[in-house]
Amino acid sequence: MPAQRDDLAFDCRRQWPPVCEIRGIIPGKPDLGLVTDQDASAFVNSVKRFAHEWRNSMSVASQFEISTADGVALLTGELMGPRDCSLSRGTLLIVPGGWFADRDGDMGDSGTEADLMYLRIARRVCAEGFSVARYDNRGVTGNACRLGLVPDEIDTAEGAAEYLRNCVDPQIRKSVTPESLMSDVVTMCESLSDHSAVAADRVAIFAHSEGGLHVARALERLAIPPCGVVLAGTSMLSPADCMRWQMVDRCVEEVMSWDEDNAGRVTEAEVERRLHSSFLLELGIHQSDLAMSGAGWTESDTRSFFEVRYQAEQDRALAAADEATFPTSDDESFVAASYRWYKQWFRDEFPTLEFFARFRGKLAIHYGEIDRQLALAQEIQFIESHIEKWPRVPHVVVHPRCGHALGRDRPLSGPMDSQAEDRLVADILEMFR
């Protein structure tokens, strides 16, 4: 029999006796007689499905628009919850990740709703009797899945142009700074606290990736702090440390992993065999960049190469005007943020974890074991060395074989793995207990 889980959607699990581990017997239900393990499991699953569908039928969703504190944009989103709002057990605010993340969290490549990470989480939490607020990053109005673009299409020039035209407002994206994104979190929290259907002391936050950084910065500015925060894919190191690792350390590790004979050098033939399937191509590294005149790339040579590239990029970024659009491009429709936002990744050396040092609520930090956006070993070591005297020790979860969007065997994309989803939702619900 499968082990009983604490995050079953059906509340009556507290009244009904659990399925007995002795084969074929359901305690307290003699009229059912002897059944197989498969029958018992199917019975429990059917009850779960019924409860999930019934609760969803009793929930409603309303759209909202909230003016940002700087008056530049409207934060658009959706509040889901019980039809009778007085029955809500609490409210979860989902804070999106960086770049063009919207309320749904379109992170996968299946072209189906399974890709919508934040929506999946919202539906699960809503089915437990809670309200959930999701919002779009400023200047973002949709995602490729909702637009009907399959992954292969979004990677084409035509598909990318259609996406930008329909889902991104480049003028508003120019207002994206570290301060404005943090302010948007505060605005959302204050709006929820003022909402008649929301108990201000029963608000928890789930934040993904860069969204966790803005939540951390916002904590001390909230009149009523959340009862709990759950993070996924958020680095606890400083933004500068994170960028340096991405541009130098992980690139060195990648190149040296091509040393097939463990000779301490990566040969030209090994570069030719491995580069075509490497993420380094996405960073603009081509085979000509790794051409060599000697016997091969040693770790020292490789580190020097990427250090030079990092320093050049840092100098270029810091020389740009804060209000300049990032990235620099002739395509006026493609604006991710202002350069002030980009500069934080080179000059902000304050660890994100330290923002939580005085936080009295519950904190859970989720990582994917193969997340390509952060250094897992460094993250765990850093957390362990800094939380000894904290009032509450954060709950840290590492999802085996999952990446940045908790996709199984996918370093960056989804769809989110179902087991990872179960553990993540369980921790979110724990914030309200």
Side-chain angles (χ1 to χ4, degrees):
M1 295 292 294
Q4 189 178 8
R5 286 176 13 201
D6 292 333
D7 59 342
L8 296 182
F10 190 51
D11 273 347
C12 290
R13 67 187 184 278
R14 298 186 179 88
Q15 285 77 45
W16 287 18
V19 177
C20 185
E21 292 184 1
I22 300 176
R23 178 188 168 108
I25 299 177
I26 300 180
K29 299 290 179 181
D31 54 308
L32 292 180
L34 294 178
V35 296
T36 65
D37 288 349
Q38 184 176 5
D39 290 336
S41 179
F43 171 74
V44 172
N45 287 333
S46 67
V47 172
K48 285 169 55 183
R49 284 195 300 272
F50 170 79
H52 179 75
E53 292 170 2
W54 180 80
R55 280 181 168 159
N56 277 342
S57 70
M58 298 300 289
S59 65
V60 293
S62 57
Q63 308 299 308
F64 62 77
E65 292 182 345
I66 302 171
S67 296
T68 58
D70 57 11
V72 171
L74 290 174
L75 297 176
T76 54
E78 183 175 75
L79 178 62
M80 305 165 59
R83 191 174 297 277
D84 182 350
C85 60
S86 66
L87 299 179
S88 178
R89 300 170 60 191
T91 303
L92 175 71
L93 171 64
I94 295 183
V95 177
W99 281 77
F100 301 141
D102 76 323
R103 72 186 78 175
D104 290 337
D106 187 2
M107 303 284 172
D109 56 12
S110 73
T112 70
E113 281 200 349
D115 295 338
L116 306 181
M117 180 182 184
Y118 308 158
L119 179 60
R120 286 173 57 182
I121 293 169
R123 285 174 172 170
R124 288 283 301 274
V125 175
C126 192
E128 292 287 342
F130 294 87
S131 301
V132 182
R134 303 159 16 248
Y135 71 99
D136 307 314
N137 267 323
R138 60 166 60 203
V140 180
T141 58
N143 59 65
C145 182
R146 295 295 192 195
L147 197 59
L149 290 172
V150 298
D152 287 344
E153 291 175 326
I154 195 68
D155 290 336
T156 66
E158 295 79 8
E162 183 179 355
Y163 167 75
L164 291 172
R165 183 169 57 253
N166 288 279
C167 300
V168 179
D169 186 328
Q171 293 304 312
I172 294 178
R173 293 301 296 176
K174 292 177 182 179
S175 70
V176 171
T177 66
E179 295 81 7
S180 69
L181 293 176
M182 180 272 295
S183 176
D184 292 346
V185 174
V186 174
T187 295
M188 283 300 308
C189 289
E190 290 177 343
S191 297
L192 285 176
S193 297
D194 293 340
H195 197 290
S196 59
V198 174
D201 61 344
R202 295 281 292 169
V203 175
I205 295 176
F206 166 70
H208 179 236
S209 190
E210 184 190 333
L213 170 61
H214 307 306
V215 169
R217 289 169 171 165
L219 282 178
E220 292 188 351
R221 293 170 171 80
L222 297 177
I224 304 176
C227 59
V229 174
V230 178
L231 307 174
T234 299
S235 175
M236 293 293 99
L237 306 177
S238 72
D241 284 338
C242 190
M243 177 62 91
R244 184 177 184 83
W245 178 82
Q246 289 184 6
M247 292 192 67
V248 179
D249 297 321
R250 73 168 175 174
C251 296
V252 174
E253 292 174 8
E254 174 74 356
V255 172
M256 296 313 296
S257 72
W258 303 344
D259 180 11
E260 298 168 358
D261 57 3
N262 295 316
R265 292 177 181 272
V266 176
T267 65
E268 189 169 358
E270 288 168 337
V271 169
E272 186 174 352
R273 282 195 295 271
R274 302 291 294 277
L275 179 60
H276 71 91
S277 60
S278 171
F279 69 86
L280 293 180
L281 286 177
E282 301 169 12
L283 303 181
I285 303 295
H286 304 288
Q287 189 165 340
S288 58
D289 297 315
L290 296 177
M292 58 197 72
S293 57
W297 289 92
T298 65
E299 182 172 350
S300 177
D301 294 335
T302 308
R303 183 167 297 278
S304 295
F305 172 77
F306 286 107
E307 287 276 9
V308 169
R309 290 178 62 90
Y310 169 81
Q311 190 61 54
E313 181 62 12
Q314 181 185 55
D315 293 344
R316 187 187 67 81
L318 299 182
D322 281 2
E323 64 275 10
T325 58
F326 174 82
T328 303
S329 172
D330 294 332
D331 183 357
E332 295 183 356
S333 68
F334 182 49
V335 178
S338 70
Y339 255 93
R340 182 170 180 81
W341 170 85
Y342 187 47
K343 289 180 182 182
Q344 72 178 318
W345 303 104
F346 294 98
R347 62 188 181 190
D348 185 349
E349 298 181 350
F350 189 80
T352 300
L353 182 67
E354 291 299 330
F355 287 108
F356 292 97
R358 292 188 295 275
F359 179 54
R360 297 286 174 174
K362 297 177 181 178
L363 174 63
I365 306 171
H366 286 241
Y367 293 109
E369 182 185 31
I370 60 171
D371 189 340
R372 190 186 291 160
Q373 295 297 88
L374 48 79
L376 178 60
Q378 293 181 31
E379 296 281 339
I380 300 300
Q381 183 180 21
F382 183 76
I383 292 172
E384 290 177 344
S385 65
H386 280 72
I387 62 174
E388 293 179 356
K389 298 181 180 179
W390 280 28
R392 281 193 182 217
V393 175
H395 179 215
V396 179
V397 177
V398 177
H399 297 273
R401 296 175 58 183
C402 290
H404 192 62
L406 301 183
R408 190 169 182 81
D409 297 326
R410 296 167 182 260
L412 288 180
S413 69
M416 176 170 53
D417 176 71
S418 59
Q419 292 182 354
E421 178 184 358
D422 288 346
R423 296 185 70 184
L424 185 61
V425 169
D427 258 2
I428 290 173
L429 299 178
E430 181 63 31
M431 299 298 110
F432 296 99
R433 294 192 177 104

